[in-house]
Amino acid sequence: MTETTDQTSAGQGSDQAQTWRDDFSRVLSPVFGSPQLDIVRGEGSYVWDASGKQYLDLLAGIAVNALGHCHPAWVNAITEQASTLGHISNFFTSPPQIALANKIHEILNLPTGSAVFFSNSGTEANEAAFKMARRAGGGGRPFIIAVEGAFHGRTMGSLALTAKEAYREPFAPGVPGVVHVPYGDVEALAAAINDNTAAVFIEPIQGEVGVRKHPEGYLKAARELTTKVGALLVLDEVQSGIARTGYWFAHQDWSIGEGVVPDIITSAKGLGGGMPIGATITVGDANTKLLEAGQHGTTFGGNPIACAAGLAVLETIEKDGLLDHALDINDWLTPQLTAIDGIGEITGQGLLIGIELLPDAAGEIPDSKAVAARALEAGFIINPVAPGRLRLAPPLTITADELTPFIDALPGLITG
């Protein structure tokens, strides 16, 4: 899994990497901690660091690089658009913006009156949905419900929806009115919803806690409860959307959504395939009208280059059959993983996968961060998403042949 040109160039690469590390600590914000790698190039499912070492990227920029690195269709779309029209502000529209919105309408089979608002990230997509929730029911509904284990972003509105106290506490007092209910508990959700509820925010598959689906029937119950009191149902598909689960959006899988039609869907990550773009999708005319002209905005949202990249992603997924491919790879990979000693439940769907690490003979659960560190040393990028749990979110283009060396190495990575 490693590649170096020769000893001299490898040494030069190491020197350059050290210079970059020194510069990083001197000129960049420390909020992400020290970088694990200095990545200089990517192609397909692989990236290379400054020393020339090759890594199999099983995280894809946290479910962002849907087509892998530098896919020709993506590169061509960006290059052509950048040489035609780059940025025009939100006073105007452009053909890529309209084409991408049309494509989203098509893949979701949206009813007349639905609309797409483009922003730059998942947290911004959720901020727009949060503002729409404040307008729900004519305004004056003070409470929004989110679920324990949820991650909706780090800007202030999205942060209020995010369940992890460690993320929220340093910035208290936060945006008021958000109530978190226990995961998977329909009775608790029903008890929390009333005429003062503006909206319920749900990730169809929670990523932050180790990739877990809600229990069967949960989304359906949420839809029925919100409809009963006139509250919005907002599905955060920032991570689980854009074919990540083998469906355009996870809730379209009957086993998850049971035919549920939400009021708002948020998307980002894989939508741009590496370009920054988010989308807040309102379903139906009434939901679209929750925000009027001038009540929300963004300077870069709907940027022609980002939209051209997004359109290339969706069209390539469709043309290359990557929806079925994600399901097929999961069907092949899951039994390979479960056959490994020390691995328990495999969660998620398609190419959004959670791996449970079982206790060893002494009853100790392997440290997922240590496993990920050993994987990185061996040339594999994985994510220790939670204690005792690993997350995989590789490119949708990944093959069984590319995954096989990781499967072969994983037993040793777990035991150390």
Side-chain angles (χ1 to χ4, degrees):
M1 290 296 297
T2 61
E3 176 188 285
T4 53
T5 52
D6 56 43
Q7 192 170 7
T8 301
S9 63
Q12 291 172 343
S14 298
D15 291 342
Q16 180 64 74
Q18 186 58 54
T19 298
W20 284 335
R21 294 294 179 91
D22 292 342
D23 285 347
F24 179 93
S25 62
R26 181 174 58 84
V27 300
L28 285 164
S29 169
V31 296
F32 297 117
S34 179
Q36 299 176 52
L37 293 176
D38 302 281
I39 296 175
V40 299
R41 184 168 72 88
E43 182 178 347
S45 299
Y46 299 95
V47 295
W48 288 263
D49 69 12
S51 72
K53 183 175 179 178
Q54 175 182 289
Y55 301 82
L56 180 64
D57 186 359
L58 297 173
L59 189 57
I62 315 181
V64 167
N65 300 313
L67 304 182
H69 297 274
C70 300
H71 190 285
W74 184 82
V75 171
N76 290 340
I78 292 171
T79 302
E80 182 177 344
Q81 187 58 49
S83 64
T84 304
L85 182 67
H87 176 71
I88 55 174
S89 90
N90 53 34
F91 292 141
F92 312 102
T93 190
S94 67
Q97 184 185 62
I98 295 168
L100 180 57
N102 272 327
K103 193 65 180 177
I104 291 171
H105 276 250
E106 176 190 322
I107 64 179
L108 278 165
N109 193 26
L110 293 173
T112 300
S114 302
V116 181
F117 173 81
F118 288 120
S119 54
N120 307 286
S121 65
T123 193
E124 290 177 70
N126 284 326
E127 288 287 340
F130 196 111
K131 290 175 75 173
M132 292 173 186
R134 289 292 197 222
R135 303 286 296 162
R141 293 187 175 213
F143 297 112
I144 297 173
I145 295 172
V147 181
E148 289 180 358
F151 181 85
H152 295 286
R154 295 178 187 262
T155 50
M156 291 304 286
S158 300
L159 183 63
L161 297 166
T162 294
K164 195 170 183 178
E165 182 64 26
Y167 291 159
R168 301 198 314 268
E169 191 276 331
F171 309 103
V175 177
V178 177
V179 177
H180 287 91
V181 297
Y183 164 81
D185 189 333
V186 173
E187 290 185 2
L189 180 62
I193 292 177
N194 56 46
D195 291 340
N196 286 318
T197 303
V200 176
F201 280 71
I202 300 175
E203 299 163 281
I205 300 177
Q206 292 187 334
E208 178 80 2
V209 290
V211 188
R212 66 182 180 186
K213 299 179 184 178
H214 290 277
E216 184 176 349
Y218 189 82
L219 290 189
K220 184 178 181 181
R223 174 71 286 179
E224 292 171 351
L225 290 165
T226 50
T227 299
K228 184 177 180 180
V229 300
L232 302 177
L233 176 62
V234 182
L235 295 187
D236 178 343
E237 295 253 26
V238 168
Q239 184 168 167
S240 59
I242 315 302
R244 176 56 49 188
T245 65
Y247 294 80
W248 283 115
F249 292 89
H251 76 274
Q252 293 176 308
D253 174 9
W254 187 269
S255 71
I256 294 175
E258 297 184 68
V260 161
V261 177
D263 296 294
I264 299 171
I265 303 161
T266 58
S267 178
K269 289 192 178 287
L271 178 59
M275 288 295 288
I277 188 169
T280 307
I281 304 159
T282 49
V283 182
D285 183 68
N287 294 318
T288 296
K289 289 179 178 177
L290 287 169
L291 289 181
E292 300 172 0
Q295 290 184 333
H296 196 55
T298 169
T299 296
F300 294 103
N303 178 283
I305 299 175
C307 287
L311 186 62
V313 168
L314 299 186
E315 289 180 341
T316 302
I317 289 170
E318 198 168 51
K319 178 174 67 70
D320 291 354
L322 297 182
L323 291 163
D324 288 339
H325 180 71
L327 295 173
D328 291 342
I329 289 293
N330 183 286
D331 288 344
W332 173 83
L333 180 60
T334 296
Q336 303 280 335
L337 292 172
T338 53
I340 295 172
D341 288 341
I343 287 181
E345 184 183 21
I346 304 300
T347 59
Q349 189 161 296
L351 288 171
L352 181 58
I353 297 167
I355 301 173
E356 178 190 21
L357 302 177
L358 295 176
D360 59 20
E364 295 291 327
I365 297 175
D367 182 351
S368 58
K369 291 184 178 180
V371 174
R374 289 191 288 267
L376 195 65
E377 181 65 26
F380 306 101
I381 297 174
I382 61 177
N383 180 220
V385 67
R389 299 194 71 86
L390 305 172
R391 173 171 55 179
L392 306 182
L396 302 178
T397 54
I398 200 163
T399 67
D401 287 345
E402 291 172 331
L403 284 162
T404 295
F406 170 69
I407 296 167
D408 293 341
L410 190 53
L413 300 176
I414 294 172
T415 61

